[in-house]
């Protein structure tokens, strides 16, 4: 039998123990904030029925769904005329009934509809799980990656939007980020702009173009708008809106005059004002959380999906795309027959946040420490002496391990270094006679003789 060289499936990766400690630091930090705001965790299966996912992400999205072949002889149920075509797309419904989930939003919608009699509305949930997309792998883009979503359905209160701003502010600050911008816009404002220009049917074309302002500049946006059916006169009307400047209040004042004839647009402005008002009221008790929120009219994000406020978060400390985003959607569960249930949600880009924290060296020292102390093992007698001490340390919630076989000190010290274990307890004949153990600080190299109680006290701090 030939030896098969081990390899990873394209677009996937392993995570080392050091990476997992850092990833869990991110997940644990954001989950703590979610819970503080009343959100509860759910999980959904890695695979869903293919019919649940198909048609929810557009034609391009459908192509990126990983289908799972039926078990057994999956070709036996395919009609002979389909087999003769040799076209896998034509026979997909006969050979595949399930697929890996593409995102957490559609499974969440399915969950809400299936459990509508068991949940209380508004239903506030968060979900941190992997998703899969048959995308072309490239730097920073994987076929398997984690999403970190937090949503509330069954409430149209703008308090939810305001709380998401504070959730972003608190979670990202707790992760160590200092300079980031929470951008906000509203689909209704964009609809109003398209109305005022007299091109409501071209709203998607308009927003797709202006969304690229920071990448291709005003000239690039103008060129694209003309290609998409806008006239020079339309663009002249659009320019002051696209290039809106000043404080949030000044921007809203300008928009109010531009959108005076659009009821939809004015509703969008009122919604943004209400969100800012909620944030300001909540911060009266604690102004330390004051977020950097910016009204950004060029923010579009999946606009055929969102119906109200839209969010995006960018870090200003490193060059990176958005590290979070989301918005209000009015009929999430309609795709499964439960109409009229409004919702709003945001997500955290865990992989991008990881890269930012890594680049800025923001992971705390504790995030790199697993085992806190290693007990040496020189011979059988020392091993037996160490066992109750080992268990004592663990009982006191000190992560401890005993080197599992007698070995030279150098080998045991290398093991502690490789695992970044900060302390080593050395137990030789002297230590066993006196009961005073040698504790070595691996960073400073300093050693001191201490009782087990004193070592526990020191390591617990």
């Amino acid at each position: 039998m030939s030896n098969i060289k081990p390899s990873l499936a394209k677009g996937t990766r392993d995570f080392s123990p050091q990476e997992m400690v850092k990833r869990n630091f991110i997940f644990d930090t954001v989950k703590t904030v979610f819970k503080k705001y009343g959100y509860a965790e759910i999980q959904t299966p890695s695979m869903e029925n293919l019919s649940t996912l198909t048609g929810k992400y557009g034609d391009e999205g459908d192509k990126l769904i990983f289908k799972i072949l039926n078990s057994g002889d999956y070709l036996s149920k395919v009609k002979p005329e389909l087999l003769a075509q040799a076209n896998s797309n034509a026979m997909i419904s006969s050979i595949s009934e399930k697929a890996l989930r593409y995102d957490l939003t559609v499974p969440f919608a399915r969950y809400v509809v299936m459990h509508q009699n068991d949940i209380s509305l508004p239903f506030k949930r968060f979900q941190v799980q992997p998703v899969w997309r048959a995308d072309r792998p490239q730097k920073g883009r994987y076929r398997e990656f984690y999403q970190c979503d937090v949503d509330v359905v069954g409430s149209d209160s703008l308090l939810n939007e305001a709380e998401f701003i504070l959730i972003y502010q608190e979670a990202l600050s707790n992760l160590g980020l200092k300079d980031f911008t929470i951008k906000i816009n509203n689909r209704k404002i964009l609809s109003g702009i398209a109305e005022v220009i007299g091109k409501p049917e071209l709203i998607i074309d308009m927003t797709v173009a202006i969304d690229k302002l920071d990448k291709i500049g005003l000239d690039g946006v103008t060129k694209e708008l003309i290609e998409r059916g806008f006239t020079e006169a339309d663009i002249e009307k659009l320019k002051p809106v696209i290039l809106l400047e000043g404080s949030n209040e000044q921007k809203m004042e300008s928009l109010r005059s531009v959108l005076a004839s659009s009821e939809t647009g004015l509703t969008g402005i009122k919604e943004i004002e209400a969100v800012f008002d909620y944030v300001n009221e909540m911060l009266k008790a604690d102004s330390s959380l004051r977020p950097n929120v910016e009204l950004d009219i060029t923010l579009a994000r999946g606009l055929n999906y969102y119906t109200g406020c839209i969010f995006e978060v960018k870090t200003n400390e490193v060059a990176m795309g958005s590290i979070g985003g989301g918005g209000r959607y009015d009929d999430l569960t309609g795709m499964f027959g439960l109409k009229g249930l409004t919702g709003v949600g945001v997500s955290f880009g865990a992989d991008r946040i990881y890269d930012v924290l890594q680049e800025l060296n923001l992971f705390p020292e504790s995030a790199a420490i697993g085992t806190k102390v290693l007990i040496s093992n020189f011979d059988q007698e020392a091993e037996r002496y160490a066992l109750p001490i080992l268990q004592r340390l663990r009982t006191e919630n000190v992560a401890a391990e005993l080197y599992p076989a007698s070995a030279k000190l150098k080998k045991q010290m290398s093991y502690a270094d490789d695992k970044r274990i900060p302390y080593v307890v050395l137990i030789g004949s002297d230590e066993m006679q006196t009961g005073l153990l040698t504790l070595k600080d691996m960073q400073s190299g300093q050693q001191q003789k201490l009782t087990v109680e004193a070592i526990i006290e020191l390591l617990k701090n």
Side-chain angles (χ1 to χ4, degrees):
M1 187 178 159
S2 64
N3 287 332
I4 297 169
K5 189 180 174 190
S7 63
L8 278 168
K10 266 189 181 172
T12 64
R13 60 212 155 132
D14 290 323
F15 296 112
S16 68
Q18 290 84 0
E19 288 168 321
M20 278 312 302
V21 170
K22 291 175 178 177
R23 287 174 69 79
N24 284 331
F25 166 70
I26 294 172
F27 294 143
D28 293 345
T29 301
V30 298
K31 282 181 178 183
T32 300
V33 176
F34 295 162
K35 288 174 188 172
K36 197 167 155 183
Y37 282 77
Y39 288 81
E41 185 168 20
I42 68 163
Q43 291 202 338
T44 59
S46 300
M47 66 179 92
E48 293 277 352
N49 288 326
L50 182 56
S51 56
T52 299
L53 303 179
T54 307
K56 312 299 189 299
Y57 309 106
D59 291 343
E60 285 308 304
D62 279 356
K63 288 175 193 167
L64 301 182
I65 294 171
F66 270 112
K67 286 92 179 166
I68 298 170
L69 289 172
N70 293 341
S71 50
D73 184 2
Y74 54 85
L75 285 177
S76 63
K77 292 177 184 167
V78 181
K79 291 175 183 168
E81 58 270 27
L82 278 178
L83 271 176
Q85 285 180 29
N87 180 340
S88 60
N89 287 332
M91 64 174 85
I92 202 75
S93 59
S94 305
I95 63 174
S96 172
E97 292 166 6
K98 291 180 279 297
L100 293 175
R101 63 166 170 251
Y102 176 89
D103 71 354
L104 299 179
T105 305
V106 170
F108 173 49
R110 175 201 52 75
Y111 179 95
V112 170
V113 175
M114 285 185 70
H115 296 267
Q116 58 186 288
N117 298 322
D118 315 319
I119 60 179
S120 299
L121 293 177
F123 180 54
K124 302 171 85 167
R125 86 81 170 89
F126 70 87
Q127 207 169 338
V128 178
Q129 284 187 281
V131 298
W132 293 267
R133 294 185 188 177
D135 224 337
R136 192 168 63 83
Q138 50 188 287
K139 183 173 165 45
R141 179 171 289 177
Y142 302 97
R143 286 177 168 172
E144 178 187 68
F145 56 96
Y146 269 73
Q147 285 193 336
C148 195
D149 285 14
V150 55
D151 292 77
V152 51
V153 290
S155 166
D156 57 10
S157 169
L158 292 160
L159 173 61
N160 299 304
E161 276 86 337
E163 287 194 338
F164 281 135
I165 288 173
L166 297 184
I167 283 172
Y168 269 135
Q169 182 65 31
E170 191 167 343
L172 294 173
S173 298
N174 290 354
L175 287 168
L177 295 178
K178 292 189 170 54
D179 184 9
F180 52 90
T181 305
I182 302 164
K183 297 187 171 196
I184 186 170
N185 196 10
N186 195 298
R187 161 75 191 245
K188 296 181 179 87
I189 292 176
L190 293 164
S191 297
I193 293 164
E195 262 177 41
V196 167
I197 294 170
K199 297 271 169 65
E201 74 286 356
L202 291 181
I203 179 173
I204 302 295
D205 297 274
M206 179 188 86
T207 52
V208 165
I210 65 174
D211 200 23
K212 298 176 185 171
L213 184 67
D214 57 344
K215 295 186 190 81
I216 60 177
L218 186 60
D219 290 345
V221 171
T222 302
K223 184 168 172 281
E224 192 163 320
L225 286 168
I226 286 168
E227 284 168 7
R228 289 173 178 267
F230 288 84
T231 65
E232 291 283 356
D234 294 336
I235 289 161
E236 281 310 305
K237 285 186 199 166
L238 260 179
K239 264 185 194 168
V241 176
I242 297 173
L243 299 174
L244 211 55
E245 283 185 342
S247 67
N248 291 332
E249 288 74 20
Q250 288 167 329
K251 286 177 184 175
M252 285 191 282
E253 204 50 55
S254 305
L255 284 171
R256 242 185 241 102
S257 58
V258 171
L259 297 174
S261 62
S262 167
E263 199 178 321
T264 307
L266 293 174
T267 302
I269 295 168
K270 278 185 191 146
E271 288 184 6
I272 296 271
E273 282 180 322
V275 172
F276 286 156
D277 192 45
Y278 273 126
V279 170
N280 290 330
E281 284 300 312
M282 283 189 281
L283 290 181
K284 282 180 178 175
D286 179 13
S287 58
S288 65
L289 253 184
R290 182 132 323 260
N292 178 19
V293 188
E294 181 194 324
L295 174 59
D296 183 353
I297 293 305
T298 66
L299 175 60
R301 289 191 74 87
L303 249 209
N304 44 357
Y305 182 75
Y306 295 120
T307 53
C309 287
I310 313 160
F311 300 98
E312 188 166 273
V313 185
K314 294 221 163 157
T315 171
N316 305 315
E317 296 176 81
V318 295
M320 177 72 68
S322 67
I323 56 171
R328 165 78 61 177
Y329 39 79
D330 271 348
D331 199 16
L332 174 75
T333 53
M335 60 179 93
F336 298 117
L338 183 59
K339 296 283 182 194
L341 201 59
T342 184
V344 59
V346 296
S347 68
F348 284 71
D351 291 296
R352 282 185 173 177
I353 291 170
Y354 182 102
D355 291 342
V356 170
L357 298 187
Q358 191 75 349
E359 191 171 328
L360 297 173
N361 202 18
L362 286 176
F363 284 108
E365 281 290 304
S366 58
I369 295 169
T371 302
K372 188 126 190 216
V373 61
L374 173 73
I375 304 177
S376 67
N377 189 343
F378 294 121
D379 54 36
Q380 209 167 359
E381 191 187 354
E383 182 178 271
R384 287 184 70 79
Y385 185 90
L387 288 171
I389 297 169
L390 173 69
Q391 209 46 40
R392 183 85 194 279
L393 286 159
R394 289 172 177 165
T395 302
E396 295 286 349
N397 290 322
V398 176
E401 54 184 297
L402 171 65
Y403 196 79
S406 54
K408 289 185 175 169
L409 182 60
K410 189 179 177 188
K411 189 175 181 183
Q412 298 187 48
M413 291 299 190
S414 293
Y415 176 82
D417 272 336
D418 290 345
K419 282 193 76 173
R420 299 183 185 176
I421 300 173
Y423 294 97
V424 174
V425 168
L426 301 169
I427 301 177
S429 52
D430 274 5
E431 283 80 6
M432 285 187 278
Q433 278 173 13
T434 62
L436 290 172
L437 311 183
T438 301
L439 181 73
K440 178 167 184 170
D441 182 324
M442 293 298 286
Q443 198 168 9
S444 67
Q446 286 182 330
Q447 296 186 177
Q448 50 184 323
K449 297 258 189 185
L450 297 167
T451 62
V452 174
E453 284 72 20
I455 288 172
I456 287 169
E457 206 52 46
L458 190 146
L459 296 180
K460 277 176 80 175
N461 294 331

